[in-house]
Amino acid sequence: MAREIDQKSQPEEKLDKPAGFYLKPDSVQGEVSFETEDGWTIHGTLTVPVKKAGAESLPATLLLHSSMHSRSVWVSFPGWAKLQESMVTLRIDIRGRGKSEGRIPFVDMSQTQRDKVALDVKAALNFLASAKEVDPARIGIVAEEFSAGPAVIGGMEDPRVRVFVFLSGVLNQRAMELIASNAAKPILFIVSKEDKRGFRDMAKAYSLTQSDGSDIWVQDGLGVGVTMCNMWRNRYTDQPIENALDFVAGEWLETKLRGLGRVREVTVETEDGWILYAMLGVPDGINEGQTVAAVILLPTALTDRRIYSNLERVLLSNNIAFLNLEYRGIGKSINKGAYIDQSLSEIMSGWRDIQEGVGLLASHKGVDPDRIGVLGALLAANYALYGAKANPKLKAIAMLDPVIWAWGEASDRETLNSVSQPVLLVTGEGMGELTKKFAETVAENELNEVVRYPGSIVAYLRFREDKELEPTIVRWFKERLDGNTKQ
């Protein structure tokens, strides 16, 4: 378990902060140690921001030095040190280096022994995630040179790790394969082009990553690893220190981690006794007295709430909260049976669960109860419409391929014409004549918007085909919930 840091201790008073190569961060530091699964003792330094100590859980970053450095390298550069003022950090000495030298120095290790640094990474992530100040769902890793490979192998498949920064990273085939399989975790690659090995590996890895958030910053004549930050300052003496590589890379990392918001699983109990599971996400950094808009997400009966995982991230990055509410009888929400065993009348009354979702969001600190929208897919799109009619507090309705049946068409059309909220309809031309007629009715109202696609790929499957659909939906909600309706 993480060793507790004395929250009462304070850093020494800072007399000055030279604008060159040193910054004394406002953080509480503690020496820590832990063991890897193969019994190696790893030593490190855990830091917690002074201003945040004792507050809500924070994002965290694991800092991994190269084979020729030790953990102290990360406090030698002001941009990396500055991370300690806004998030929890753990910088370690990898096995064979610094205080973690242990049984054999790194320089004398075989390649097989060096590959076990990935175990150091895994143990460090477990240690960091267990710290009471840390949000275990928002951890990043910064690694230089050799340590980039163990960082990938030890962290890419860990769901707690959400973002990476590599400085002149060196990667083996296994690390490349893991990067190629990654679609959700953004990676920042920083390399100087005269570092031929690092440039080759970083360029190849960048070409392999499928995360839209990844980027590569290619430098010229700055050397290798974290020392590129010093060389940048030496070369660009006319530039503000905040423009240096360590500052801007640290800001990139923090922006990505904070953009993930605060997400946790919650449950909602309905009036008739269903326990519905949901994911509640709120943007990070909501100040006292500030509020944000929110959207209730309703998945389909064919799958569970995970279909909106990326949409959740896009909402949070646009400063919009969400409640991703599972169907009765789907996923974990099965305390009263399975969806397939419900009667038609029970299924069609599922829209009433929206009221419980509105109540939960409206009571959450930081959420504006007067700026809540709702989105549903397939039958849940109908739920969104009927739920909004029953609850005028809902200010915008997004319908992804609603299910229009002949026996319910008249009721659907009547409900659509009775709501005052703007409607966004996403539909396919191959969805049938009843759906086409419904889309025409939606389009008759100038406050509404219809997005049509060829064919009949439905709802959540269309996210995979059109990467711009989710951002388009979020922009629509942002405009409507901020009061900027279409003229």
Side-chain angles (χ1 to χ4, degrees):
M1 296 296 292
R3 182 178 300 172
E4 184 173 346
I5 294 178
D6 182 4
Q7 301 294 346
K8 296 181 180 179
S9 63
Q10 297 290 330
E12 296 178 6
E13 181 181 358
K14 300 184 297 295
L15 299 178
D16 60 356
K17 289 186 178 180
F21 302 90
Y22 180 75
L23 180 144
K24 186 178 179 62
D26 294 330
S27 64
V28 179
Q29 303 193 33
E31 184 75 12
V32 297
S33 64
F34 48 87
E35 282 197 359
T36 66
E37 64 182 65
D38 65 340
W40 204 290
T41 300
I42 300 298
H43 294 267
T45 305
L46 185 71
T47 73
V48 178
V50 167
K51 294 179 181 178
K52 301 291 184 180
E56 290 184 296
S57 59
L58 296 168
T61 294
L62 173 61
L63 300 164
L64 302 171
H65 61 79
S66 70
S67 60
M68 299 302 291
H69 290 151
S70 68
R71 59 180 141 149
S72 62
V73 73
W74 297 110
V75 293
S76 301
F77 301 92
W80 298 120
K82 194 173 187 297
L83 286 178
Q84 297 177 29
E85 298 184 339
S86 57
M87 67 177 69
V88 178
T89 74
L90 174 62
R91 56 184 189 270
I92 65 169
D93 289 328
I94 63 173
R95 62 180 65 200
R97 294 294 300 169
K99 199 172 180 180
S100 303
E101 181 171 298
R103 302 183 291 274
I104 181 172
F106 188 90
V107 69
D108 293 332
M109 288 182 178
S110 66
Q111 187 59 51
T112 299
Q113 291 171 317
R114 292 179 178 186
D115 289 344
K116 291 183 179 178
V117 171
L119 300 180
D120 304 353
V121 174
K122 291 181 179 181
L125 291 172
N126 289 335
F127 182 92
L128 186 56
S130 71
K132 66 181 182 181
E133 302 87 357
V134 171
D135 179 351
R138 292 189 293 164
I139 296 178
I141 299 180
V142 181
E144 60 161 344
E145 299 180 70
F146 160 82
S147 289
V152 173
I153 294 169
M156 185 60 76
E157 295 183 312
D158 189 326
R160 300 170 299 188
V161 179
R162 308 296 295 277
V163 60
F164 295 85
V165 176
F166 297 142
L167 305 163
S168 310
V170 175
L171 303 168
N172 61 20
Q173 183 59 33
R174 174 58 180 154
M176 290 290 188
E177 291 170 355
L178 286 169
I179 287 174
S181 69
N182 161 54
K185 301 180 181 184
I187 306 172
L188 174 60
F189 305 92
I190 306 176
V191 65
S192 194
K193 63 183 182 181
E194 75 277 10
D195 170 21
K196 293 185 178 180
R197 172 68 191 275
F199 182 81
R200 183 193 70 189
D201 286 3
M202 293 292 90
K204 180 179 180 180
Y206 176 64
S207 72
L208 291 174
T209 181
Q210 300 187 42
S211 168
D212 294 336
S214 294
D215 202 356
I216 184 167
W217 299 351
V218 178
Q219 311 301 310
D220 186 7
L222 295 189
V224 179
V226 73
T227 57
M228 287 189 290
C229 305
N230 266 352
M231 297 308 299
W232 191 97
R233 270 182 282 273
N234 289 341
R235 175 173 293 185
Y236 302 106
T237 55
D238 60 327
Q239 293 288 318
I241 188 174
E242 292 79 9
N243 290 352
L245 273 180
D246 43 331
F247 275 90
V248 293
E251 290 170 358
W252 184 94
L253 171 72
E254 183 173 1
T255 298
K256 294 295 185 184
L257 287 174
R258 291 199 176 277
L260 296 169
R262 303 178 188 277
V263 181
R264 61 188 175 92
E265 187 174 65
V266 297
T267 57
V268 174
E269 184 171 1
T270 67
E271 289 184 352
D272 55 348
W274 282 91
I275 305 297
L276 304 181
Y277 283 77
M279 299 304 294
L280 173 65
V282 180
D284 197 6
I286 300 177
N287 297 321
E288 190 66 33
Q290 180 186 9
T291 58
V292 298
V295 175
I296 297 173
L297 304 175
L298 306 173
T300 79
L302 302 177
T303 182
D304 60 21
R305 53 199 149 109
R306 300 301 177 187
I307 63 169
Y308 293 135
S309 293
N310 190 62
L311 183 58
E312 292 176 354
R313 289 189 282 269
V314 181
L315 285 165
L316 289 173
S317 67
N318 282 271
N319 212 38
I320 299 175
F322 68 82
L323 181 71
N324 188 353
L325 185 61
E326 208 157 59
Y327 246 69
R328 301 168 171 229
I330 296 293
K332 296 170 68 174
S333 305
I334 54 175
N335 68 303
K336 293 188 67 176
Y339 171 81
I340 197 171
D341 296 326
Q342 295 178 49
S343 67
L344 181 59
S345 62
E346 288 176 313
I347 290 172
M348 298 309 296
S349 65
W351 62 266
R352 292 185 173 88
D353 298 339
I354 295 174
Q355 180 60 38
E356 310 295 343
V358 171
L360 190 152
L361 275 175
S363 64
H364 194 280
K365 183 179 180 181
V367 173
D368 186 342
D370 295 320
R371 290 193 294 150
I372 299 176
V374 60
L375 174 148
L378 298 178
L379 180 57
N382 303 58
Y383 286 180
L385 179 64
Y386 282 80
K389 177 183 178 180
N391 194 327
K393 271 187 168 294
L394 291 167
K395 292 298 189 287
I397 311 162
M399 306 178 71
L400 308 184
D401 294 297
V403 176
I404 309 299
W405 285 303
W407 52 265
E409 180 189 12
S411 176
D412 293 339
R413 197 182 294 268
E414 179 186 350
T415 302
L416 175 65
N417 289 327
S418 68
V419 298
S420 60
Q421 302 98 320
V423 175
L424 170 65
L425 174 67
V426 179
T427 186
E429 295 290 356
M431 298 303 292
E433 289 303 314
L434 292 180
T435 302
K436 285 184 179 180
K437 290 180 181 179
F438 185 82
E440 291 170 0
T441 303
V442 172
E444 289 172 1
N445 188 329
E446 64 178 8
L447 294 179
N448 299 339
E449 189 169 333
V450 178
V451 178
R452 294 181 175 88
Y453 287 85
S456 54
I457 294 176
V458 298
Y460 56 94
L461 295 176
R462 195 175 285 121
F463 293 152
R464 187 174 58 192
E465 303 300 319
D466 182 1
K467 299 296 185 183
E468 288 302 310
L469 178 55
E470 289 159 311
T472 297
I473 291 170
V474 172
R475 283 193 296 271
W476 183 87
F477 269 119
K478 193 172 183 66
E479 292 171 0
R480 272 64 187 178
L481 297 177
D482 284 346
N484 302 317
T485 55
K486 184 171 62 177
Q487 300 297 316

